[in-house]
Amino acid sequence: MKNLSLLALLFVLLSCQEVIPQKDYVVVHGKIENPIEGLGVRLFDPVSSKAITIKVAADGTYRDTIKLDKPAFFNTFYDKFFGLYLANDMDLEINFDAKNVSKSLTIKGKGEKENAFLRTKSKLEGELYGADYIAFLNVDKEVFDAKINKFTTDFKTALEQKKSELDPSFVNSQLKMFEELKKGIIQQYADAQRNKSELGAGKQSPDFKNYINYDGGKSSLSDFRGSYVFIDVWATWCGPCKYEFPFIGKVEKEFHGKNIKFVSISIDRLKDEQKWRDMIIAEGLSGIHLLADKEIESSFIAGYYIQAIPRFIILDKQGKIINSDAPRPSEPELTDLLNSLDM
């Protein structure tokens, strides 16, 4: 009877313990050394196209609460990019020095282990690609296969070692995302080999004619002969395309007065022409804006095998290809490439 009484008492005590409910939001806070005046911490979810900007105080401190429908991976930008995994009930302190984000970045608090693994994965990706991603996509097939196999082994070993410390849903999502990543890299390699033979530097660009020009009339690629041409292929429904808008504007300003035309080609439906025009006004976009004749089926789009946007292309003054898949405006490599041209 005495043992039964003790068991009953223990049951009562356990039943009386308060259950702390999980928060339905994430807390993100921290301090940035050498903050950039007027720049906020920008979080972008490439799946939902949801963008969040957290205001940074003059002393570099910032804090915000974010409600999520489900866990998400964010591309986080503050002068440089880093990946961030967020789920409701997390409380993360993220500190870094704006002068060297990658080396100074620290993430502490609930969710730090998942984000530490993201940095491990990022390191493995860096080892796979090397310093030049384009060069990686142009190595011999035997070298490429060896690199992919090593990447696969290293990733799965690292995840297995940390598996017990990580949220199961995070582990599952990482495995799924890894397979998608590997599949995408293999496809990009195949595309690069095809493009090298069909769309390599010095090849004549696929053509377009009589695209609707935002400023009136119609334009053809031949209208821009005599100037270098930077082409942005986008659409009003494309979140990653809209993310590049401010960066495109920055590059346009940097090369203003140079012998280069900035041409944006939308693959929106012709019946959505007004929506296209409205977004150009709403976003304050500059440059030359054209609307393709047959959306993704336009011969120019098909000629470049474009399956995903945004896509950036650089042509020389004779309409020949300099780069059929150029760096994005948000990447410093684009400015380096444009600076190398004789404008």
Side-chain angles (χ1 to χ4, degrees), residues 33-50:
E33 298 296 331
N34 300 301
I36 301 170
E37 184 178 357
L39 185 63
V41 177
R42 180 178 169 87
L43 282 68
F44 178 74
D45 178 357
V47 176
S48 67
S49 295
K50 181 179 182 179

Side-chain angles (χ1 to χ4, degrees), residues 33-292:
E33 298 296 331
N34 300 301
I36 301 170
E37 184 178 357
L39 185 63
V41 177
R42 180 178 169 87
L43 282 68
F44 178 74
D45 178 357
V47 176
S48 67
S49 295
K50 181 179 182 179
I52 302 163
T53 299
I54 304 175
K55 185 177 180 180
V56 178
D59 66 354
T61 58
Y62 66 95
R63 186 181 185 89
D64 203 357
T65 57
I66 304 167
K67 283 195 172 186
L68 299 173
D69 296 328
K70 58 183 179 180
F73 294 87
F74 288 87
N75 293 326
T76 307
F77 177 80
Y78 192 88
D79 194 44
K80 295 291 187 294
F81 286 100
F82 61 90
L84 190 64
Y85 173 74
L86 297 180
N88 287 335
D89 201 41
M90 283 185 176
D91 188 326
L92 290 172
E93 179 184 344
I94 306 172
N95 302 318
F96 55 87
D97 189 328
K99 290 185 176 180
N100 197 333
V101 177
S102 60
K103 289 188 176 181
S104 63
L105 180 67
T106 62
I107 301 177
K108 300 177 182 178
K110 191 171 184 179
E112 67 177 84
K113 293 186 183 298
E114 285 77 12
N115 282 286
F117 183 79
L118 287 187
R119 281 178 281 168
T120 297
K121 184 174 76 171
S122 179
K123 181 182 177 183
L124 293 176
E125 289 182 27
E127 293 171 355
L128 171 67
Y129 307 145
D132 188 338
Y133 188 69
I134 300 301
F136 162 71
L137 291 178
N138 283 283
V139 298
D140 291 339
K141 185 67 165 57
E142 295 78 9
V143 175
F144 177 80
D145 289 342
K147 283 178 172 286
I148 286 292
N149 291 336
K150 183 178 185 303
F151 177 52
T152 299
T153 300
D154 291 347
F155 171 83
K156 292 188 175 180
T157 298
L159 185 60
E160 187 62 32
Q161 289 174 346
K162 297 293 183 181
K163 188 176 181 179
S164 62
E165 302 175 3
L166 303 173
D167 183 273
S169 62
F170 174 83
V171 173
N172 291 335
S173 66
Q174 282 297 292
L175 287 169
K176 181 180 178 181
M177 291 174 71
F178 173 77
E179 292 303 326
E180 292 173 351
L181 173 65
K182 187 169 76 168
K183 181 180 178 181
I185 294 171
I186 292 171
Q187 184 60 55
Q188 286 178 38
Y189 179 78
D191 292 346
Q193 301 311 299
R194 177 200 63 205
N195 292 349
K196 187 161 57 174
S197 62
E198 297 182 25
L199 301 170
K203 300 283 187 180
Q204 195 67 41
S205 170
D207 197 14
F208 65 80
K209 295 179 180 179
N210 299 320
Y211 280 8
I212 294 172
N213 190 313
Y214 172 82
D215 291 327
K218 295 188 176 182
S219 295
S220 302
L221 182 59
S222 59
D223 296 336
F224 308 115
R225 293 283 167 82
S227 297
Y228 289 97
V229 184
F230 177 81
I231 297 174
D232 164 27
V233 181
W234 70 290
T236 59
W237 41 261
C238 169
C241 299
K242 289 182 276 187
Y243 179 78
E244 294 292 329
F245 286 169
F247 299 102
I248 295 174
K250 183 179 178 181
V251 174
E252 288 179 0
K253 287 181 181 179
E254 185 173 349
F255 290 90
H256 179 72
K258 301 286 187 179
N259 187 24
I260 183 170
K261 305 293 186 185
F262 289 88
V263 180
S264 293
I265 299 176
S266 167
I267 57 171
D268 280 284
R269 295 174 296 184
L270 290 177
K271 70 176 185 178
D272 289 332
E273 178 181 344
Q274 191 56 51
K275 183 178 179 181
W276 165 67
R277 291 182 177 276
D278 290 344
M279 181 165 286
I280 292 170
I281 295 173
E283 297 288 344
L285 304 181
S286 55
I288 299 165
H289 285 272
L290 309 178
L291 184 61

